[in-house]
Amino acid sequence: MKKQGNSNSTIAVFSFPLPSQSNYALLANLVTILSHIYSRVIVVTGDFISILPHIIDDLRLANKSRIFIYDLRVKLPSRDGYAPFITKLFIYIKIQVNIITASIKLRNIIRSALFFIGIPHMLPVIILLRLMKKRTIVY
Amino acid sequence: MKICDVVWILAVKFADIVISEVSDPLYEDPIKLRYARLRLPIALRFIDLDKFRVIKPINRRVYDIAFIARLEPEKGLPEFICGIKLLYKEGLKPRILVGGEGSLLSLAKEALKNLDVKLVQYIPHKEMPNVLNDVKILVLPSKKEGVPTILLEALACGVIPVASKVGGIPWVIEKAQTGLLLNTPSCNSVYKALKVLLALKPNELERLSIKGRTFAEKYLSINGAINRHALLKKLLKKRAS
């Protein structure tokens, strides 16, 4: 993503990719609101594209041209489905690495980052962004 | 103190701004209240009020009572089932809808099999306005919550809530002036609250239903949510300058 426009009017929304679909409906609600306030809303989360058909209706009132997705392409396995511990651990580490990479890649574009779902899991990113002198907001 | 609490405290302490779901500190997460550098009580989300509206008057709805949540112990499903059984024991026979998936699904199936209950495992969100318009009373006996979306959607559809006194729920119910709060999410409190509401006359139900919708129009519109969140941008600008 190239740097363009005023970073003051760009916000990144970090949402930890937890398995529950209801989390994405909540995320869609927040993103809809922010899309009417900021000229660019960058959503950093996992597997957003595959979940999009289920929440497209929740984005009905959003200013869609202002929403950009940074898809981590990974999310934690569902609580109902069986996955060995080692697989879960590997996925968790992958999410952490991807989310930190995202914050580094986006550092020149954003001035503020909002942390939404699964906030305690994103503590390393919150600290990293604070070190980069970004404004951090916790929901 | 648990490790997850410590991590949560650190996250709150490192943040420039912490957003709260309700304005009243009484209902705030104590960690946010204690450790936030700057707390912004603005974040009540919006409900699509064109979709979530009263389609069917409350007295023409099919189900007297509904439980729509994940079928997990923390959502209070065992207490709900127990309360319903007490109602049946007393000879009351409300029609019930249970919607959701989770680890207690088989327990719910077994416990409710002889009652007038419809069990729907997964309700797509786009179907929710129609589902809620077939419900008179929604029960949320959760042990832990923030401000549950289903509660806000139910109010917008004129459903009367019965919910636990946890998280932001009391704030919502007090402002809406409809429904009942459960001091503790217990079997007995669910039973007593439902008994009170089931005894109401149609015009009283109608009055409570209208109050829920009025609350939704006042607090849950998208324009209201945008105005509340716009404060965040102003505040960030102020802190940067």
Side-chain angles (χ1 to χ4, degrees):
Chain A
M1 200 178 287
K2 286 182 184 169
K3 183 179 179 178
Q4 53 175 308
N6 182 358
S7 62
N8 274 332
S9 58
T10 301
I11 191 163
V13 179
F14 287 80
S15 181
F16 199 82
L18 297 171
S20 168
Q21 208 165 290
S22 58
N23 289 331
Y24 287 93
L26 284 176
L27 180 62
N29 193 297
L30 175 69
V31 168
T32 298
I33 297 167
L34 294 176
S35 73
H36 290 277
I37 299 167
Y38 287 87
S39 56
R40 202 158 44 154
V41 182
I42 303 168
V43 184
V44 182
T45 191
D47 211 21
F48 195 84
I49 303 299
S50 70
I51 212 85
L52 204 53
H54 302 284
I55 58 159
I56 198 77
D57 210 39
D58 297 304
L59 289 164
R60 193 176 72 88
L61 299 173
N63 203 334
K64 294 183 192 73
S65 62
R66 294 178 173 186
I67 301 170
F68 299 85
I69 310 296
Y70 187 112
D71 199 334
L72 301 169
R73 293 172 194 279
V74 62
K75 72 169 178 177
L76 285 178
S78 153
R79 273 198 279 187
D80 302 337
Y82 173 76
F85 174 75
I86 194 78
T87 310
K88 285 182 185 167
L89 184 66
F90 176 75
I91 293 172
Y92 189 82
I93 293 168
K94 196 174 173 195
I95 293 171
Q96 289 292 354
V97 171
N98 286 6
I99 214 163
I100 287 169
T101 309
S103 65
I104 292 168
K105 281 185 180 171
L106 294 171
R107 70 188 185 281
N108 292 328
I109 301 170
I110 58 165
R111 183 162 291 180
S112 315
L114 191 153
F115 293 86
F116 189 48
I117 288 163
I119 293 162
H121 299 286
M122 296 188 284
L123 183 61
V125 191
I126 296 174
I127 295 171
L128 182 65
L129 283 166
R130 287 282 298 165
L131 292 172
M132 291 182 203
K133 298 197 178 347
K134 305 295 175 194
R135 296 280 170 216
T136 52
I137 306 142
V138 159
Y139 221 93
Chain B
M1 193 180 279
K2 291 178 192 165
I3 185 143
C4 53
D5 288 337
V6 175
V7 177
W8 180 225
I9 289 170
L10 286 172
V12 167
K13 282 191 101 163
F14 270 103
D16 288 289
I17 298 173
V18 171
I19 297 178
S20 301
E21 284 195 291
V22 290
S23 54
D24 196 331
L26 195 64
Y27 307 123
E28 178 57 295
D29 170 6
I31 289 177
K32 276 188 181 178
L33 208 55
R34 186 163 172 200
Y35 296 100
R37 291 184 212 193
L38 185 62
R39 195 178 136 260
L40 199 58
I42 56 159
L44 196 60
R45 67 199 83 114
F46 75 93
I47 297 296
D48 189 340
L49 295 175
D50 294 331
K51 271 172 56 189
F52 289 88
R53 62 196 165 91
V54 180
I55 304 165
K56 206 186 268 187
I58 192 158
N59 291 305
R60 283 181 31 213
R61 298 184 181 183
V62 177
Y63 300 103
D64 298 298
I65 300 165
F67 177 98
I68 303 171
R70 278 185 296 111
L71 306 183
E72 301 291 346
E74 69 265 22
K75 293 290 177 185
L77 180 68
E79 289 77 8
F80 171 76
I81 292 172
C82 175
I84 292 297
K85 283 191 163 175
L86 288 181
L87 287 175
Y88 268 78
K89 219 180 219 177
E90 208 168 279
L92 294 167
K93 296 215 172 349
R95 296 193 71 187
I96 294 153
L97 174 75
V98 175
E101 292 169 319
S103 63
L104 300 182
L105 179 64
S106 48
L107 177 133
K109 276 183 183 168
E110 182 60 30
L112 299 168
K113 67 181 176 190
N114 295 325
L115 313 181
D116 189 3
V117 176
K118 185 177 179 190
L119 187 65
V120 187
Q121 285 189 36
Y122 171 67
I123 303 170
H125 195 230
K126 62 181 175 189
E127 295 295 324
M128 203 54 94
N130 290 330
V131 172
L132 288 172
N133 267 280
D134 256 336
V135 172
K136 291 180 186 174
I137 302 163
L138 179 80
V139 186
L140 290 166
S142 309
K143 279 147 192 153
K144 199 181 169 201
E145 282 287 0
V147 178
T149 305
I150 187 72
L151 171 67
L152 305 179
E153 290 170 345
L155 288 168
C157 292
V159 180
I160 301 165
V162 170
S164 319
K165 215 171 178 176
V166 292
I169 292 174
W171 182 85
V172 172
I173 291 194
E174 275 172 27
K175 290 278 174 199
Q177 296 177 309
T178 183
L180 289 174
L181 279 172
L182 306 170
N183 276 327
T184 48
S186 68
C187 170
N188 221 22
S189 64
V190 169
Y191 157 72
K192 280 182 183 166
L194 288 175
K195 203 178 156 190
V196 168
L197 290 179
L198 289 172
L200 290 180
K201 290 180 182 144
N203 63 332
E204 289 170 323
L205 284 176
E206 189 69 44
R207 190 175 55 83
L208 291 177
S209 172
I210 291 168
K211 279 191 170 180
R213 178 66 196 181
T214 309
F215 165 84
E217 282 169 3
K218 188 173 175 190
Y219 289 95
L220 305 176
S221 71
I222 182 159
N223 288 334
I226 291 169
N227 290 337
R228 287 191 294 272
H229 283 74
L231 282 175
L232 175 69
K233 192 176 181 183
K234 276 186 195 160
L235 201 64
L236 285 167
K237 251 186 193 168
K238 214 174 171 184
R239 282 177 74 87
S241 60

